[in-house]
Amino acid sequence: MFATVDIPDEAAGARVRERLAASVRGRSLGRLGDIAAWVASVTASSTPEPFDRARAIVIAGNHAVAQRGVSAFMPEATAVQVEEIRAGGGPANTAARIAGCTLRLVDDFADAPHGSIDIEDAMSQEVFDQALALGTQIADNEVDAGTDLIIPGDLGVGNTTVAAAVFGALTGTEPAVAIGRGSGINDEVWKVKVVAVRDAMFRVRGFRDDVPAVLRAISGPDFVTLVALIAQAAVRRTPVLIDGAYVAVAAFVAEKLAPGTKRWLIAGQLSPEPCHAVCVQALELTPVLALDMSTGQAAGALLALPVINGAAELAGEELRSHEG
């Protein structure tokens, strides 16, 4: 499905750690030193430099399960948010401006709702293949255009329901444990969400070790696009900054389909969703920020970008001065 993922230049990262440890100021950087070492590793550089061609890619989806009332938002909110981003507004554009990052909206699957995962397959095999190809193509196009850091984002009512269902199915986690409050739902809506996720997981109980089959049945074309985008970026040796629960679960799946992907990832932030924390841990990542954000749209990850770039710049300056 994906080509072999190469290992980043971990020796470069180790050298940065060693050189920082050799200076008092370098040791004082704390976790920023680890972040800088990761930057050196994924850029194969002896001295970390800030990312100057980062690109946020927000992928919108439309889930029929949202009609069940699993969110604090009405299903129509997806279309409203898509138009908001297209017009240059919304959290994504605001955070991108703060981070000095460009943004791309992908709304190929935002119009017609996909199958309601509690009672029917999310998509046909044809649509699954289209989504896989789209994510791969986006990654290739971005890398070929010179993007040096990809920041995937998600947008869609019902996204955390889908994320919990996929996560629960692939890990054998009980629905009530996998599900959080998503958009800020109350107890009654949470119960509705639990039932929807439980029914979706039940539908795939006989083939939950078949990752593509699980995705086709209970995810969504936008989710598959995210999985392919993350995996192909790793194949192309391009680092990826992960945002919230939906993207984190997609990254978790990408690692299953393209082993080694996790070495090209950094977690921008941590949301309150249970599946987010477990996926980040499984990917051996430590979030840069812990803001309890569930905004989506790559907003949390974008807010972490200045910290990552600051780590690279601080460490780089210290290493250069130490050489002198």
Side-chain angles (χ1 to χ4, degrees):
M1 187 171 290
F2 295 99
T4 301
V5 176
D6 293 330
I7 298 173
D9 189 348
E10 295 181 346
R15 285 193 296 272
V16 167
R17 286 189 181 90
E18 291 171 1
R19 292 163 63 200
L20 288 174
S23 71
V24 174
R25 188 176 293 169
R27 291 193 297 272
S28 75
L29 291 177
R31 280 198 56 227
L32 292 180
D34 292 331
I35 293 170
W38 175 83
V39 173
S41 175
V42 297
T43 58
S45 173
S46 60
T47 303
E49 297 286 347
F51 296 105
D52 60 6
R53 299 197 65 178
R55 177 84 145 163
I57 303 172
V58 177
I59 300 176
N62 192 337
H63 307 291
V65 73
Q67 302 288 343
R68 300 281 187 264
V70 296
S71 172
F73 292 105
M74 296 297 291
E76 297 78 16
T78 296
V80 172
Q81 292 177 36
V82 166
E83 289 304 318
E84 184 180 42
I85 291 179
R86 187 178 288 123
N93 279 299
T94 300
R97 286 192 291 270
I98 293 170
C101 177
T102 60
L103 183 144
R104 174 179 179 180
L105 173 66
V106 178
D107 59 356
D108 297 51
F109 301 113
D111 292 334
H114 318 306
S116 188
I117 60 173
D118 55 336
I119 60 171
E120 59 188 339
D121 285 351
M123 71 202 94
S124 66
Q125 184 63 49
E126 180 182 5
V127 172
F128 176 87
D129 293 340
Q130 290 173 354
L132 203 67
L134 177 62
T136 303
Q137 181 184 42
I138 292 171
D140 285 338
N141 290 347
E142 291 296 335
V143 175
D144 291 343
T147 297
D148 59 4
L149 178 70
I150 290 176
I151 310 173
D154 68 288
L155 188 164
V157 178
N159 273 8
T160 57
T161 300
V162 171
V166 172
F167 166 77
L170 295 180
T171 62
T173 303
E174 290 293 326
V177 178
I179 295 169
R181 296 288 173 167
S183 52
I185 57 177
N186 60 29
D187 290 345
E188 293 307 309
V189 176
W190 184 84
K191 292 174 185 177
V192 173
K193 190 173 180 178
V194 169
V195 171
V197 171
R198 180 201 66 193
D199 292 349
M201 289 175 58
F202 185 79
R203 291 185 53 251
V204 300
R205 67 196 183 282
F207 54 89
R208 65 188 189 93
D209 291 332
D210 186 341
V211 177
V214 169
L215 296 185
R216 192 176 72 79
I218 63 169
S219 69
D222 60 315
F223 185 87
V224 175
T225 302
L226 279 168
V227 171
L229 169 64
I230 295 167
Q232 185 63 14
V235 169
R236 295 294 305 273
R237 302 181 61 84
T238 300
V240 180
L241 173 56
I242 300 300
D243 184 35
Y246 201 66
V247 176
V249 177
F252 177 76
V253 174
E255 171 64 24
K256 287 183 174 295
L257 297 178
T261 293
K262 65 183 180 181
R263 301 301 178 200
W264 295 92
L265 308 179
I266 188 168
Q269 61 108 8
L270 189 63
S271 75
E273 289 297 301
C275 62
H276 189 180
V278 176
C279 285
V280 165
Q281 291 170 1
L283 293 167
E284 301 176 15
L285 305 176
T286 302
V288 175
L289 306 174
L291 302 175
D292 288 341
M293 285 182 67
S294 55
T295 307
Q297 301 186 18
L302 282 163
L303 293 176
L305 178 57
V307 177
I308 296 169
N309 279 342
E313 194 150 356
L314 283 166
E317 181 178 341
E318 174 59 20
L319 293 176
R320 283 187 290 270
S321 65
H322 196 60
E323 288 173 353

